[in-house]
């Protein structure tokens, strides 16, 4: 599917000139900084030189003082503390961080991860019953709980106190927990609103250490876990998250915790990790434990000590990921066949597919793959615990949650946000839901939104690219949502030699402009252009810049996102 190329809006010319001169950098790079609201020297200094001293005071977070006081009471009275978290990467890293930190202060501590299939997302009745039956009087819940009004009410009747550490958007009512730590609550003045769940756990540890005069290393040692959660939970890599990610990547690449070190080893990549590498290499493996079996295995791996069984635990996680891949590939193939065999499904502006035997743990991944293929709002459904469960994905610019709200009368439950959601329904409602969902989406989505887009940051000439250009560019990382790796467009380029197809559907090309060096480019999934590109025919490319290392030799390479023949 051909993609729209959308060039970023113009910025203030005088500001770009000032930044370029003050920093002595290429004007195109200065333009990108201004696009990202870095408009003066001091802002640029903070951006290019992230500093842990820039982290905010954790006691600015509403209820932090109450949370620390309750933990102090629990420690003083030797109460049993349960660390409770979600089963995804953010949840398991949160639990590993909080359990590891507080277990240095008490031995009366355990952790609990709900079973994805038996208990579902968030705080469960079974989890509260477990706490009650085993004498836990304080539960610290991470990456969940902000909407668990009824469950916290139930815990209160049993005399169990909860400290909620969540980053999701609260509803109109907050749970009646002892403390609710969530920067997104309306009455919280904490300056940065986009921490991941593990980031909230980190701030809790930071607050305790700060109050009790513990060395900074007592909580900074967990920065690799925090960074993994930032990467995998797709939170904005700006502000405090960017500082945490910057130092977390440093730790991962030099001195990772034993569990992550072992996981890196079994994954086959042991060094030079970027946020993208974490998203595609470590994140899926940690997630696979909860998808295929139980997320407690991921926490056990993350808690491994140097003299422990980290390799054994990471190999188990890797095996679960291999299983996950098999399910993922098989179900994606079956779903694509369902669509391909139906003219009605092909011609719709939505995708809704159902098979009662599909594994619930991977339908979200399959929904993402179908959205990549057909680029339209997608729902993948399967049978689970007597009802139908669904995972939903949207396209950029279309509010999926609002569309589901229009189908609420056909659903038992639904929740999520603009781009991703989950739902449950009765099987007899599937056809009616598919029709209603199609009706609602068709009435509001535009053809433009149904065409994938490449956002381009700046137009440059190849002659602008050199060692200094790339060094400055690389210091704009770590890259992630709201600070993505800049995409450039260059027009009127020519082949330096014929294009070569590589792999299954990729293209390797060498390109040049007049008075420019020759640059190597790799174009993933664009082998269709091989015969369209001829040595004397000009064309345009949009791309990111990266450093390719081969046999200890480094050279710049264009990672080509799109090609247009002039």
């Amino acid at each position: 599917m051909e993609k729209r190329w959308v060039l970023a809006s113009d910025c203030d010319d005088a500001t770009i000139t000032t930044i370029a001169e003050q920093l002595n950098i290429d004007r195109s790079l200065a333009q990108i900084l201004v696009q990202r609201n870095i408009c003066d020297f001091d802002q640029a200094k903070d951006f290019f030189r992230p500093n842990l001293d820039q982290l905010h005071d954790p006691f600015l977070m509403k209820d932090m003082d109450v949370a620390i006081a309750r933990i102090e009471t629990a420690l003083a009275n030797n109460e049993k503390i349960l660390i409770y978290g979600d089963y995804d990467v953010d949840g398991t890293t949160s639990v590993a961080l909080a359990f590891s930190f507080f277990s240095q202060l008490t031995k009366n501590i355990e952790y609990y991860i709900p079973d994805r299939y038996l208990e579902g997302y968030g705080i469960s009745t079974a989890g509260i019953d477990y706490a009650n039956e085993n004498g836990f009087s304080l539960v610290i819940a991470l990456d969940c709980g902000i909407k668990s009004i009824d469950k916290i009410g139930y815990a209160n009747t049993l005399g169990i106190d909860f400290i909620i550490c969540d980053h999701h958007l609260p509803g109109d009512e907050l749970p009646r927990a002892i403390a609710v730590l969530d920067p997104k609550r309306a009455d919280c003045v904490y300056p940065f609103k986009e921490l991941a769940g593990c980031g909230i756990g980190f701030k809790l540890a930071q607050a305790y250490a700060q109050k009790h005069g513990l060395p900074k290393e007592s909580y900074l040692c967990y920065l690799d876990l925090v960074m993994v959660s930032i990467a995998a939970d797709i939170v904005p890599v700006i502000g405090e998250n960017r500082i945490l990610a910057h130092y977390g990547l440093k730790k991962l690449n030099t001195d990772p915790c034993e569990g992550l070190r072992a996981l890196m080893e079994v994954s086959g990549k042991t060094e030079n990790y970027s946020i993208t590498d974490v998203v595609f290499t470590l994140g899926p493996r940690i997630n696979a434990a909860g998808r295929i079996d139980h997320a407690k295995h991921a926490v056990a791996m993350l808690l491994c000590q140097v003299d422990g069984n980290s390799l054994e635990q990471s190999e188990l996680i890797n095996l679960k990921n291999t299983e996950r891949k098999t399910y993922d590939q098989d179900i994606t193939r079956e779903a694509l066949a369902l669509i391909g065999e139906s003219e009605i499904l092909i011609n719709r502006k939505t995708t809704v597919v159902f098979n009662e035997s599909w594994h619930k743990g991977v339908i979200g991944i399959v929904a993402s793959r179908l959205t990549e293929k057909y680029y339209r709002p997608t729902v993948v459904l399967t049978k689970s615990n007597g009802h139908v469960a669904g995972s939903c994905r949207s396209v950029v610019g279309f509010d999926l949650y609002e569309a589901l709200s229009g189908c609420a009368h056909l659903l038992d439950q639904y929740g999520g946000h603009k781009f991703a959601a989950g739902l449950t329904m009765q099987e007899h409602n599937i056809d009616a839901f598919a029709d209603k969902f199609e009706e609602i989406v068709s009435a509001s989505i535009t053809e433009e939104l149904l065409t994938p887009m490449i956002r381009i940051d700046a137009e440059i000439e190849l002659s602008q690219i050199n060692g200094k250009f790339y060094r400055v560019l690389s210091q704009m990382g770590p890259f992630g949502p709201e600070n993505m790796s800049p995409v450039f467009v260059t027009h009127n380029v020519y082949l330096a030699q014929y294009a070569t197809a590589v792999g299954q559907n990729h293209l390797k090309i060498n390109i040049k402009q007049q008075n420019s060096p020759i640059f190597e480019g790799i174009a993933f999934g664009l082998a269709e252009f091989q015969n369209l590109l001829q040595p004397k025919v000009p064309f345009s490319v949009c791309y990111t810049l990266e450093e390719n290392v081969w046999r200890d030799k480094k050279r710049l390479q264009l990672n080509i996102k799109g090609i247009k023949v002039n």
Side-chain angles (χ1 to χ4, degrees):
M1 183 181 294
E2 189 173 343
K3 297 181 179 180
R4 292 180 289 137
W5 293 14
V6 180
L7 189 61
S9 302
D10 291 337
C11 297
D12 181 67
D13 199 60
T15 306
I16 294 170
T17 300
T18 301
I19 288 285
E21 290 174 353
Q22 287 181 334
L23 301 181
N24 188 27
I25 61 173
D26 186 283
R27 186 176 171 81
S28 297
L29 296 177
Q31 174 187 327
I32 293 168
L33 290 176
V34 175
Q35 288 168 2
R36 298 181 186 199
N37 296 315
I38 298 153
C39 299
D40 61 41
F41 182 83
D42 289 337
Q43 290 175 335
K45 181 182 175 184
D46 288 345
F47 182 76
F48 282 113
R49 298 289 180 267
N51 193 314
L52 289 169
D53 291 337
Q54 297 166 339
L55 296 180
H56 302 302
D57 180 353
F59 286 99
L60 292 173
M61 198 175 294
K62 180 73 173 175
D63 278 2
M64 184 63 81
D65 53 345
V66 181
I68 295 301
R70 181 63 185 88
I71 291 169
E72 288 169 337
T73 300
L75 295 174
N77 295 336
N78 219 19
E79 295 178 52
K80 292 184 75 174
I81 301 172
L82 187 65
I83 308 295
Y84 187 111
D86 189 22
Y87 40 67
D88 66 1
V89 177
D90 194 16
T92 51
T93 52
S94 299
V95 168
L97 185 157
F99 179 84
S100 183
F101 180 83
F102 288 109
S103 64
Q104 299 173 75
L105 307 172
T106 178
K107 298 304 174 192
N108 277 341
I109 188 168
E110 289 181 24
Y111 62 85
Y112 185 98
I113 306 280
D115 186 288
R116 185 184 195 114
Y117 304 107
L118 299 179
E119 297 170 70
Y121 168 76
I123 294 167
S124 68
T125 302
I128 295 170
D129 289 341
Y130 176 87
N132 185 48
E133 291 160 9
N134 290 277
F136 291 96
S137 53
L138 177 61
V139 180
I140 301 174
L142 299 125
D143 191 35
C144 59
I146 197 63
K147 291 189 176 179
S148 300
I149 312 295
D150 295 341
K151 299 294 193 299
I152 299 303
Y154 173 56
N156 289 338
T157 67
L158 299 174
I160 298 171
D161 289 340
F162 263 80
I163 294 172
I164 305 285
C165 303
D166 205 349
H167 69 120
H168 297 100
L169 195 65
D172 294 334
E173 182 185 354
L174 292 176
R176 296 184 181 276
I178 284 291
V180 178
L181 306 179
D182 187 337
K184 290 190 176 78
R185 57 185 284 185
D187 58 350
C188 183
V189 299
Y190 192 77
F192 187 68
K193 303 296 183 183
E194 301 296 340
L195 291 168
C198 191
I200 310 291
F202 175 83
K203 301 307 290 191
L204 184 69
Q206 182 190 6
Y208 187 92
Q210 191 172 300
K211 184 173 180 183
H212 290 270
L214 301 180
K216 288 184 177 181
E217 188 54 32
S218 66
Y219 57 91
L220 294 180
C221 62
Y222 302 114
L223 282 170
D224 49 354
L225 292 176
V226 179
M227 179 276 303
V228 168
S229 78
I230 289 169
D233 221 50
I234 321 294
V235 293
V237 185
I238 56 174
E240 198 165 34
N241 277 345
R242 187 164 170 274
I243 299 168
L244 295 168
H246 174 86
Y247 285 95
L249 276 172
K250 274 190 174 181
K251 187 170 192 308
L252 186 76
N253 285 315
T254 57
D255 181 32
C257 71
E258 180 59 19
L260 289 176
R261 184 206 61 76
L263 191 61
M264 292 159 73
E265 186 176 327
V266 299
S267 75
K269 180 176 174 60
T270 57
E271 58 186 5
N272 297 323
Y273 269 76
S274 66
I275 290 285
T276 302
D277 294 325
V278 173
V279 169
F280 290 106
T281 304
L282 301 183
R285 286 171 167 80
I286 297 171
N287 254 335
R291 290 186 187 279
I292 304 303
D293 189 350
H294 199 293
K296 64 185 179 183
H297 299 303
V299 179
M301 178 201 69
L302 294 171
L303 289 172
C304 281
Q305 301 299 311
V306 173
D307 55 354
N309 59 341
S310 59
L311 203 56
E312 179 184 327
Q313 288 285 353
S314 60
E315 284 173 344
L316 173 65
I317 295 290
N318 206 44
L319 182 62
K320 299 300 176 190
N321 190 53
T322 302
E323 286 183 54
R324 188 272 305 167
K325 283 183 182 176
T326 301
Y327 283 125
D328 168 8
Q329 291 165 358
D330 290 349
I331 295 171
T332 299
R333 186 166 54 248
E334 291 172 17
L336 288 171
L338 276 178
I339 299 167
E341 291 165 4
S342 168
E343 195 168 325
I344 293 173
L345 284 179
I346 288 174
N347 292 321
R348 284 194 161 194
K349 292 184 177 178
T350 62
T351 296
V352 179
V353 286
F354 167 71
N355 184 314
E356 65 176 25
S357 66
W358 287 342
H359 196 295
K360 185 188 172 191
V362 298
I363 58 173
I365 300 171
V366 174
S368 294
R369 299 209 190 287
L370 297 184
T371 306
E372 287 172 14
K373 171 72 174 175
Y374 286 100
Y375 206 72
R376 58 195 188 189
T378 296
V379 182
V380 178
L381 302 165
T382 189
K383 204 84 170 279
S384 176
N385 291 335
H387 59 249
V388 170
S391 198
C392 322
R393 296 294 182 270
S394 191
V395 296
V396 175
F398 184 79
D399 192 332
L400 175 69
Y401 187 84
E402 190 175 320
L404 291 177
S405 298
C407 306
H409 62 291
L410 297 167
L411 305 175
D412 294 342
Q413 288 181 308
Y414 68 99
H417 49 79
K418 285 184 178 182
F419 302 119
L423 56 81
T424 59
M425 71 173 83
Q426 297 304 307
E427 187 171 351
H428 62 262
N429 280 333
I430 291 176
D431 289 342
F433 167 78
D435 291 340
K436 186 65 177 176
F437 188 60
E438 170 70 14
E439 177 190 324
I440 290 171
V441 173
S442 295
S444 55
I445 202 165
T446 64
E447 287 302 321
E448 190 175 75
L449 289 181
L450 290 168
T451 306
M453 174 177 60
I454 300 175
R455 293 183 184 273
I456 297 168
D457 294 272
E459 180 181 335
I460 65 172
E461 301 294 305
L462 294 180
S463 57
Q464 291 175 246
I465 303 171
N466 55 31
K468 180 184 176 182
F469 186 96
Y470 181 74
R471 283 193 300 274
V472 175
L473 181 69
S474 62
Q475 289 177 55
M476 291 184 183
F479 297 116
E482 297 189 29
N483 186 46
M484 299 298 285
S485 182
V487 177
F488 301 101
V489 63
T490 302
H491 300 295
N492 294 315
V493 302
Y494 294 85
L495 285 182
Q497 60 190 61
Y498 283 100
T500 307
V502 292
Q504 290 185 320
N505 189 32
H506 315 312
L507 199 61
K508 191 173 183 180
I509 58 176
N510 290 336
I511 62 173
K512 64 179 180 178
Q513 285 181 301
Q514 191 173 7
N515 302 321
S516 85
I518 294 172
F519 285 91
E520 292 183 4
I522 181 73
F524 293 106
L526 295 176
E528 65 198 78
F529 284 93
Q530 183 180 10
N531 295 325
L532 297 174
L533 301 180
Q534 298 298 322
K536 293 185 179 180
V537 178
F539 58 98
S540 301
V541 288
C542 59
Y543 54 90
T544 56
L545 269 176
E546 58 190 27
E547 199 169 49
N548 188 25
V549 182
W550 175 251
R551 293 180 178 173
D552 296 328
K553 288 186 177 180
K554 297 179 180 179
R555 60 178 180 271
L556 293 181
Q557 175 177 273
L558 312 185
N559 187 328
I560 296 171
K561 308 296 182 182
I563 299 171
K564 286 185 178 179
V565 179
N566 295 356

